[in-house]
Amino acid sequence: MGIPVFVFAGLLVHCVFLASIFDIYFTSPLVHGMTPQQTPLPPPAKRLVLFVADGLRADSLYELDSNGTSRAPFLRSILENTGSWGISHTRVPTESRPGHVALIAGFYEDVSAVAKGWKENPVEFDSIFNESKYTWSWGSPDILPMFAKGASGDHVYTFCYTAESEDFGAQDAAKLDTWVFDHVKSFFNSSRSNQTLYSALNEEKVVLFLHLLGIDTNGHAHRPNSREYKENIRKVDEGVKEIASMLENFYGNDGKTAFILTSDHGMTDWGSHGAGHPSETLTPLIAWGAGVNYPQRVASQFFEDNFLKGIWKYVKMGMLLFAQADIALLMASLIGVPFPLNSVGTLPLEYLNNSAHFKAESMFTNAVQILEQFKVTKHIVKRGKESTILLYGFAFVGLIIAFFLLIQTCPWTYYVYCLLPVPVWYAVVKELHVIQDLAAYLLSLPVGQSMGFLLICVLGIEILVFSFFYRSTLTIGLLVFAGWPVITQLWVQAKTTALIWILLCMLLGIFPLMPVVGREPNIPLVIATGLLTLLISCSSLSSLCKSKNKYMNNEDLKVQFYQMLSIALSTYVVSSTHDSLQNKQGLPVFNQIISWTTLVSSSLLPLLSPTFLFQRLFSILLSLMSTYLLLSTGYEALFPLVLSGLMFVWINMEQEALQQYGLSLKPKLAVFNFSYATDIMQFRQLHLDDVRRSFFFVSFFVMPFSCFSSFDPASVYCFLTVFSPFMMGGLLVLKVVIPFVLVSCAFEAVQVTTQLSSKRYSKCYISALVGISHYVLVMSLTIFMMLMNGLAQLLTTKKLELSRKTKHHST
């Protein structure tokens, strides 16, 4: 027995050692919550043109041919006469995605990206593109969408060729670069007849990104010393010259354009990259134009690296050495955008042609930006050490409890009852600082305001309690909600939105006054609701088509069309089934098939729609309404429609309320994306408004339960008429749950758009529930809220792809 135990122990130890590598080194180093830092002085350039020649070796660009001429004569003339040149050091792995992240975002490889095969960053990050006013990019579908995905707004545009074009077996991959140059020219020519585009191109803080993949593809296929690789460099040089000339003419030679040409990584002699050989890690950089320094002639320059010595002998001018991540700061400084939040680079002052004051301010901004990351990291580490002490402390308490239960030979249920509060209170104490922050904020207010707030909280909780006994109490609560914009500044800020809020609150307040039992079916009202939903859907579809939203493609429009068709079929089935049952003809088989098909599809169709905020929420509404109509017999059919309308207005109203803290995302709300929001947003501290939002959520959440808690078998006649208690019960429960899902999805939107984590909101609304006196009800509602919160995150953030083919924004 000794040997197997020894072998098992050894195996366990080695598994722990193996897991430690992933725990230590394969955790993302990125932190969030920093404040953007920007140089306060006016920048030298209005626009930046970034050429990235993928896979271009530094020596291949700078060296001369056997006859003493350069294979890139235009770029050679730039570094000799008008611009600055140098060598940037990249880091392993020398792959395309890590290199571009270092260039454009300013930080080196996030090792957790190994799980993505170095193709995509698993954590969202800030970049020069995100901070720009507009960015237009052309090139590979493997690179461009990565930066468009992380952008917080509708201002990063990508134009990609198809993935099939990246063929290593092609005769000449230089056609990939020709595609880019041709499309850039066509794009600027078309802007002369498009006033909106022309105006955008003439804005400040504009970035044009040309990703040139031909050199890398030819290097893999033919090796860097091949004729194809060197000829591709010549074609890139010609293309850069044409683009630079075209842009100078387009902007009237205003002297406000900065140009940068560099590479993401180099390549070995045998056509590979990814490791740390100098031929892979040393990349060229040539900069010229607005704000860029002129070349510095020197008689000699000392290098410890023989590779660098070999490069310098071809140029014999001042060569600048810097890290690849420094380029992002150089670009930010040239056009005056905030430094990328996770940047670790140092601004290369030698490239700047500006005043000493500007350079000093830029360096100070660089230092503050690094300091911001340090502060956030320090806070995270500090909180982790508080957490560790608490963990050991509560674990010790748990052991003492278990010891006393053991010596008293108590049954196992005692262990559950006595030990369960330990992890619960650990979670509470761990987040005690959130409650302390809120308490400190309350104490900082005038006494009258603090007491008034506490009084309103107590009255609000009492209204919730009474609503479970007297449904009409909810009407009183909604009338109070209707007055919210009037007693605040929201009525002045957004009168139209506030007026719609008031009307919908009053309209929703009618439902608690309606009878739950003893009412006759009102099928015409159900049909009218279906037609009203169709009308709203048509209006939405028409506006999307007119707006030509670049994020909406034909597949997305088809999904909404199918949902509209489902609404129409549900309306027809309700009418047809009612008539058939009245005529004693039973439930038509066709109607039954349509009903069950609609029920199944309604849970999948939202996952096929875009994850942009309003588009996804509207898709969820249409899918759930198609099922809800089939389960309705009267006025309750209108309830989800009115409730959703109020939820949409609520999201907008919260954006108005956030403006007093300077955190509003209103201009970008239309393109706010659920799937990216969690990683990129900056979480903030609690405010009194967050308590109000949580109370709104609890009130909206309990309303469906209080209004429609009765079970009428007539509601399921579109699905089945043969008595089946479990099947009927399940369908009736589904009918009650649908409004809960709508409220939960809306609150998920409120959480991400108001920039507060769900954990902090959960503390607020659970605190509100604690005031409700019924223990079982509190426990049930809390569990149900957690389930609905998880379902809401699934419905809002996930998207199913029917086809594996990557989508590109191509011209």
Side-chain angles (χ1 to χ4, degrees), residues 167-183:
D167 186 1
F168 293 140
Q171 291 184 350
D172 188 5
K175 63 181 181 180
L176 299 177
D177 301 337
T178 303
W179 185 99
V180 172
F181 294 132
D182 290 345
H183 278 72

Side-chain angles (χ1 to χ4, degrees), residues 44 53 87 158 173 225 250 322 343 405 437 507 536 678 701 713 789 794:
I87 299 291
T158 61
N225 292 318
F250 182 86
F322 51 93
S343 171
L405 293 174
D437 291 342
L507 185 59
I536 297 173
T678 305
F701 198 84
N789 183 59
L794 173 66

Side-chain angles (χ1 to χ4, degrees), residues 257-496:
T257 306
F259 298 89
I260 288 181
L261 180 138
T262 186
S263 176
D264 54 347
H265 57 76
M267 187 173 289
T268 62
D269 291 339
W270 48 92
S272 66
H273 56 81
H277 190 271
S279 62
E280 301 169 87
T281 60
L282 299 181
T283 58
L285 182 120
I286 301 177
W288 70 100
V292 179
N293 218 344
Y294 294 105
Q296 306 296 319
R297 300 185 181 275
V298 294
S300 62
Q301 195 168 353
F302 174 74
F303 302 103
E304 294 182 355
D305 193 311
N306 290 329
F307 201 86
L308 294 176
K309 291 179 182 177
I311 293 175
W312 186 83
K313 72 179 182 181
Y314 290 110
V315 184
K316 295 185 179 179
M317 298 184 67
M319 180 168 64
L320 304 176
L321 303 176
F322 51 93
Q324 191 176 47
D326 300 343
I327 300 176
L329 301 184
L330 174 63
M331 294 189 290
S333 180
L334 289 173
I335 58 174
V337 299
F339 291 174
L341 293 174
N342 292 110
S343 171
V344 297
T346 302
L347 180 63
L349 293 178
E350 298 86 354
Y351 271 91
L352 293 179
N353 180 19
N354 216 311
S355 65
H357 184 199
F358 182 88
K359 293 180 180 180
E361 288 284 0
S362 299
M363 288 300 293
F364 177 75
T365 303
N366 187 187
V368 172
Q369 174 257 331
I370 296 291
L371 181 62
E372 283 286 315
Q373 294 185 70
F374 171 76
K375 288 179 178 178
V376 172
T377 305
K378 179 182 177 182
H379 178 69
I380 293 172
V381 172
K382 185 178 179 181
R383 284 190 56 191
K385 291 180 178 178
E386 290 169 353
S387 299
T388 304
I389 295 173
L390 282 175
L391 179 62
Y392 289 139
F394 276 91
F396 180 70
V397 171
L399 288 174
I400 293 177
I401 294 174
F403 175 74
F404 278 105
L405 293 174
L406 181 64
I407 61 177
Q408 297 182 55
T409 61
C410 296
W412 66 269
T413 53
Y414 281 38
Y415 288 86
V416 176
Y417 301 148
C418 295
L419 291 176
L420 186 59
V422 175
V424 172
W425 278 106
Y426 167 70
V428 172
V429 175
K430 184 180 177 182
E431 299 294 333
L432 190 61
H433 64 280
V434 177
I435 303 173
Q436 290 173 339
D437 291 342
L438 182 59
Y441 181 73
L442 276 174
L443 293 174
S444 67
L445 296 175
V447 178
Q449 190 173 349
S450 299
M451 295 303 296
F453 172 77
L454 294 174
L455 180 62
I456 291 174
C457 288
V458 172
L459 290 176
I461 292 173
E462 288 301 317
I463 289 176
L464 286 178
V465 173
F466 276 95
S467 67
F468 289 97
F469 303 99
Y470 309 101
R471 296 170 55 245
S472 58
T473 310
L474 288 174
T475 302
I476 300 174
L478 284 168
L479 292 176
V480 174
F481 287 178
W484 166 50
V486 179
I487 61 177
T488 61
Q489 296 296 318
L490 298 179
W491 176 259
V492 179
Q493 289 178 225
K495 288 186 178 180
T496 303

Side-chain angles (χ1 to χ4, degrees), residues 535-554:
L535 181 63
I536 297 173
S537 303
C538 290
S539 175
S540 170
L541 187 62
S542 175
S543 65
L544 284 174
C545 293
K546 289 180 180 178
S547 66
K548 297 180 180 179
N549 190 331
K550 77 184 184 78
Y551 294 107
M552 286 289 288
N553 53 36
N554 291 333

Side-chain angles (χ1 to χ4, degrees), residues 23-39:
D23 179 53
I24 297 170
Y25 295 105
F26 287 80
T27 302
S28 176
L30 301 185
V31 294
H32 299 281
M34 292 79 70
T35 304
Q37 302 297 322
Q38 181 177 353
T39 304

Side-chain angles (χ1 to χ4, degrees), residues 52-56 139-140 161 165-168 172-178 180-181 211-222 228-233 235-236 267:
V52 177
D54 202 305
L56 175 60
S140 168
Y161 39 74
S165 302
E166 302 174 8
D167 186 1
F168 293 140
D172 188 5
K175 63 181 181 180
L176 299 177
D177 301 337
T178 303
V180 172
F181 294 132
H211 176 240
L212 308 170
L213 187 62
I215 294 176
D216 182 76
T217 307
N218 271 322
H220 287 303
H222 307 288
E228 291 83 359
Y229 185 89
K230 296 177 180 179
E231 185 61 28
N232 202 151
I233 296 176
K235 289 183 179 179
V236 165
M267 187 173 289

Side-chain angles (χ1 to χ4, degrees), residues 51-64:
F51 302 94
V52 177
D54 202 305
L56 175 60
R57 289 171 50 149
D59 57 343
S60 297
L61 177 63
Y62 294 134
E63 69 183 6
L64 303 178

